[in-house]
Amino acid sequence: MRPTAVGTPVDRADARSKVTGTACYTVDVVLPDLAHAVVVQSTVPTGRIVRIDAAAAERAPGVLGVLSHANTPSLAEVPTFPQGPAGQRRPPLQDDTVNFDGEHLAVVVADTLHHAAQAAALIDVAYDREEAVTTLEAGDELPPSGIFGEAPDSVRGDPEAALARAEVRLDATYTTPTEHHHPLEPGATVAAWDGGRLTLYDSTQWVSGVRDAVAMTLGMATDQVRVVSPFVGGAFGSKAMVWPHVVLAALAARHVGRPVKLVLSRAQMFTSLGYRSPTVQRLSLGARQDGTLTAIVHAVTQQTSVFEEFVAGAGYISRSLYACPNVAVRHRLVRVNAPTPTVMRAPGEAVGSFALESALDELAAQSGVDPVALRLRNFAEDEPQEGLAWSSNALRECYQVGAERFGWERRTTEPRSMREGRHLVGWGMASATYGVHSEAAAARVRICADGRILVTSGTQDLGTGTYTTMVQVAADALGVPVERVTAALGDTDLPPAPHSGGSQTAASVGPAVWSAALDACSKVLALAEQGDSYAEILTRHGIEFVEGRGDARPGASASRFAMRSFGAHFAEVQVDPELGEVRLTRFCGVFGAGRILNPKTARSQMIGGIVGGTGMALTERTVTDRRLGRVVSPNLSGYAVPTHADIPWIDVCFIDEHDPHVNALGVKGIGEVAIVGVAAAIANAVHHATGRRIRDLPITPQTLL
Amino acid sequence: MTRTEITLSVNGCQHTLALDPRVTLLDALREVIGLTGAKKGCDRGECGTCTVLVDGRRVYACLTLAVMHDGATVTTVEGLADGTDLHPLQQAFISRDALQCGFCTPGQILSAIGLLAEGRATSEQEIREFMSGNLCRCGAYPNIVAAIRDVAGAQ
Ligand code: FES
Ligand code: FES
């Protein structure tokens, strides 16, 4: 088939419903007789609950019921990702222990939201408080048991000996803070029971994961649970796994015998859907005088909760981005009285790249080599850790095209050498990379006698453009205009699809849609000669519709090729020398990410990643009070995400890349590579502007003054 | 708590409501009238997802009490299109792909309408400054600014 829709900037299929307010998010779901639940959270970081006094709440107007560990049935544990779909293994409301400040302790259900909130404020909890570990620095380091099935530590070559022999050496520690995803739609679930069957409307990246987790923890058959999530108001990893509030909504609905809506408050979002762990990263580089890397040692310390392990592979990027014969990577964990961390946009790479790409900039300065030239010198012709050939790798083109578009050759080498009025100007750059992922997925395509096409899959659209790319792929497979195709997703009643994380949705669901469409097409063509329209053929045969089904699974290429997306970021900042204020004034990101299904929505994705990286670089940090173990200012003033005024025009470019190995569509995935390296590019620009090397994010006026 | 009776004209429809005086305009719209286009991203004036027009001016509906607006005219995102004809800003948001998850979008569009009425959309710089009360966690900012510019330029 000639692609006429794929690769073109088709308008977002769900845009109209979103600009008119008809898109129904979980928080908007209304059911007959709907009751409202409000969660009550702990106010100590560790200890025991001596008493939960719910009497006043139970007497309050409109209250239908209160759940706490005193009256909650026992729930089965659900394994955490990747063994299972849970974000937190420990089920809620099971005993009197408190493991972190902000843990769910009770749920109040009332006839209106207002009544539930008023009653929740009347719950009185007395604690027996114990000694808590509240920061990463205060605990003991432990080796994690594994990182998504990989060994936490690895060594290739002899890094120590290579470091000792190196002509140029660098040894620095970089730190990143706790960061929160803060999608604008909070975590939310609406639960409705119909006898023994449960329907959950949930804001999630993984409808089938929610179904499996809730069925498992409540001891139900999975076919007794349906999960619906047609629109998700942002996620970024926070809704990739299933968190305790989801089962609380189901329990609350069963307890009061009515459908229940549970929406977390913005403050509760700080302790309910995971977060990006803070990191302390020690990086040692060895190189020859010309900047050729001879050794990298990347040692990372992160935190996890006191009751379970989650760790992102922040150091792994140092094994595969550059050609270097001697590389050691080490990950350690500290158990803290805090919630379990989770994945956040490019888990691992986003923070690991800050350390590695800052260090490369330091090496460039030390060895007097231009930062782009330094990276080109260390380009990896093959994947350096496993020695496999790349399925494709456009990193060199990304540097070259980015440098041209940005005007990099006009950069003067010396820090503080560029100015605009009274402001210092700095230009910095960094590389980006993220792995290609995909999982088995299924889709269905229905061709109707009236000419309409319906394409469905139990996948999710987080604002990532899944609806749109499903329409485009089906339209091209059938040779019809996109206007004829409608997509439906976000429902466990539809053919199964994996979680929307790891930038894998297009690469997993796209091929399934393609083969479902071809299946449906062949069923119609079996009825008649080619040349007639689908509608004519079906009408002539008196058939209302035909349906095709497509299943796709990752191919065998994964073991023969190393598959990654790449990119290069170029940032310009202006720094106020008196106030220490950093403003991003220009940004260019260039990516080699396989075939781009829709350049319009893909560009938006990349811009979004760059904006997220700008937040990492300049504003985002969750502060915990050491004594209380509690988040300070748990709101969007205390946790500053970028605003309109912080973001300039952003230039995004995709390298035309044809990768025959990744999957049938040549799609690599784009959601995460966009954020990798952004914080380093900005920090490097700040160094160029000011001569100050900031190794501790975010770069605030306080750090610069 | 005694209830207070007020009338609101919302998107051209008259509503007479008996409300607890502590109910915010946002909860009155979402929970009582049943218009869910205005979103609750924070409920404390920090995100802008709840932005609506009250007598033509943009306000955070979560930060004002419904009973303070007796007799007011309120416009939410549901009231912008004329049948199937979209408001120019709605169309510009689609054309410029000025949204991803779409959760901030109703607030961005209403805020932009307020901005244009204030005459504050004369440059990109000014748009950025005076739209900064509307967060977009998906980071659609450059496209939102472009959409507003398109409409400002056409006026
Ligand atoms: S909900 Fe009103 S400003 Fe956030
Ligand atoms: S489009 Fe998702 S928050 Fe703006």
Side-chain angles (χ1 to χ4, degrees), chain A residues 131-189:
Chain A
E131 207 49 49
V133 176
T134 59
T135 65
L136 177 61
E137 294 76 19
D140 299 325
E141 292 194 358
L142 305 163
S145 55
I147 304 178
F148 295 164
E150 281 201 64
D153 295 1
S154 70
V155 179
R156 80 171 179 250
D158 188 348
E160 293 306 327
L163 274 177
R165 279 198 310 271
E167 292 167 12
V168 184
R169 254 192 305 273
L170 180 102
D171 187 4
T173 299
Y174 303 85
T175 54
T176 63
T178 296
E179 290 160 8
H180 276 87
H181 317 73
H182 282 310
L184 286 187
E185 183 190 27
T189 308

Side-chain angles (χ1 to χ4, degrees), chain A residues 286-470:
Chain A
R288 289 206 283 273
Q289 196 54 57
D290 68 356
T292 307
L293 286 167
T294 55
I296 307 175
V297 178
H298 194 161
V300 187
T301 305
Q302 288 160 280
Q303 77 180 39
T304 190
S305 61
V306 292
F307 51 90
E308 66 194 348
E309 203 179 285
F310 174 87
V311 53
Y316 290 155
I317 189 170
S318 290
R319 302 196 303 206
S320 53
L321 185 50
Y322 297 113
C324 178
N326 307 294
V327 177
V329 167
R330 196 180 92 126
H331 293 92
R332 291 293 177 270
L333 277 179
V334 174
R335 291 192 180 277
V336 174
N337 287 103
T340 309
T342 195
V343 295
M344 182 166 166
R345 205 166 193 169
E349 276 89 345
V351 281
S353 65
F354 169 64
L356 179 64
E357 290 298 285
S358 294
L360 250 82
D361 203 64
E362 300 200 41
L363 177 63
Q366 262 188 44
S367 52
V369 180
D370 173 81
V372 175
L374 181 83
R375 286 168 175 83
L376 283 168
R377 186 154 300 159
N378 290 291
F379 177 77
E381 298 285 349
D382 294 310
E383 200 286 322
Q385 183 72 13
E386 306 294 338
L388 295 173
W390 299 112
S391 63
S392 61
N393 181 339
L395 184 54
R396 274 188 292 223
E397 292 88 326
C398 292
Y399 294 138
Q400 186 204 332
V401 171
E404 267 166 31
R405 291 171 83 105
F406 190 80
W408 184 256
E409 64 184 26
R410 297 195 309 277
R411 179 181 186 264
T412 55
T413 310
E414 278 308 301
R416 304 181 73 91
S417 60
M418 295 170 77
R419 281 181 182 263
E420 173 83 39
R422 52 184 282 274
H423 288 103
L424 298 164
V425 174
W427 290 6
M429 60 84 55
S431 311
T433 181
Y434 193 76
V436 173
H437 302 281
S438 65
E439 285 181 63
R444 207 180 293 134
V445 168
R446 175 182 288 197
I447 304 176
C448 302
D450 63 3
R452 284 179 311 116
I453 316 286
L454 180 64
V455 51
T456 57
S457 176
T459 179
Q460 299 77 212
D461 189 329
L462 323 170
T464 41
T466 315
Y467 279 108
T468 317
T469 53
M470 282 171 68

Side-chain angles (χ1 to χ4, degrees), chain A residues 12 16 25 28 181 604 642, chain B residues 39 84 95 97 101 137 141:
Chain A
R12 195 174 285 269
R16 194 179 174 97
Y25 298 82
D28 302 329
H181 317 73
S604 297
Chain B
K39 306 299 184 199
T84 56
S95 305
D97 202 36
C101 80
R137 189 55 163 153
Y141 297 129

Side-chain angles (χ1 to χ4, degrees), chain A residues 12 16 18-19 25 27-28 118 180-182 234 266 463 600 603-604 608 620 636-637 642 644-645 647, chain B residues 22 30 39 41 46 77 84 90 95 97 99-103 108 128 131-132 135 137-139 141 143:
Chain A
R12 195 174 285 269
R16 194 179 174 97
K18 288 174 172 175
V19 302
Y25 298 82
V27 295
D28 302 329
Q118 284 176 336
H180 276 87
H181 317 73
H182 282 310
R266 185 54 57 185
K600 188 179 219 170
R603 175 174 170 272
S604 297
E620 292 182 35
L636 293 172
S637 300
H644 273 284
I647 301 300
Chain B
R22 295 167 296 185
R30 289 182 58 87
K39 306 299 184 199
E46 290 165 347
V77 72
T84 56
Q90 291 175 312
S95 305
D97 202 36
L99 63 137
Q100 292 183 48
C101 80
F103 201 77
Q108 301 279 0
R128 286 191 194 111
M131 284 296 290
S132 281
L135 300 180
R137 189 55 163 153
C138 297
Y141 297 129
N143 294 350

Side-chain angles (χ1 to χ4, degrees), chain A residues 389-394 436 557-558 560-566 592-596 655-669:
Chain A
W390 299 112
S391 63
S392 61
N393 181 339
V436 173
S557 301
R560 290 188 290 127
F561 292 98
M563 306 192 287
R564 300 188 74 86
S565 294
F566 292 94
R595 184 195 238 178
I596 300 305
I655 303 293
D656 197 14
E657 187 176 61
H658 299 273
D659 189 321
H661 305 297
V662 280
N663 48 56
L665 294 179
V667 169
K668 281 186 170 178

Side-chain angles (χ1 to χ4, degrees), chain A residues 412 414-427 571-585 682 685-692 704-705:
Chain A
T412 55
E414 278 308 301
R416 304 181 73 91
S417 60
M418 295 170 77
R419 281 181 182 263
E420 173 83 39
R422 52 184 282 274
H423 288 103
L424 298 164
V425 174
W427 290 6
E572 177 187 277
V573 298
Q574 289 193 8
V575 182
D576 186 315
E578 271 103 54
L579 300 177
E581 183 197 36
V582 179
R583 295 199 80 94
L584 184 66
T585 46
I682 292 172
V686 168
H687 175 259
H688 184 232
T690 63
R692 296 278 308 281
L704 277 179
L705 287 178

Side-chain angles (χ1 to χ4, degrees), chain B residues 45-62:
Chain B
E46 290 165 347
C47 74
T49 56
C50 63
T51 308
V52 298
L53 300 178
V54 177
D55 295 329
R57 293 182 54 229
R58 48 182 176 157
V59 301
Y60 286 165
C62 73

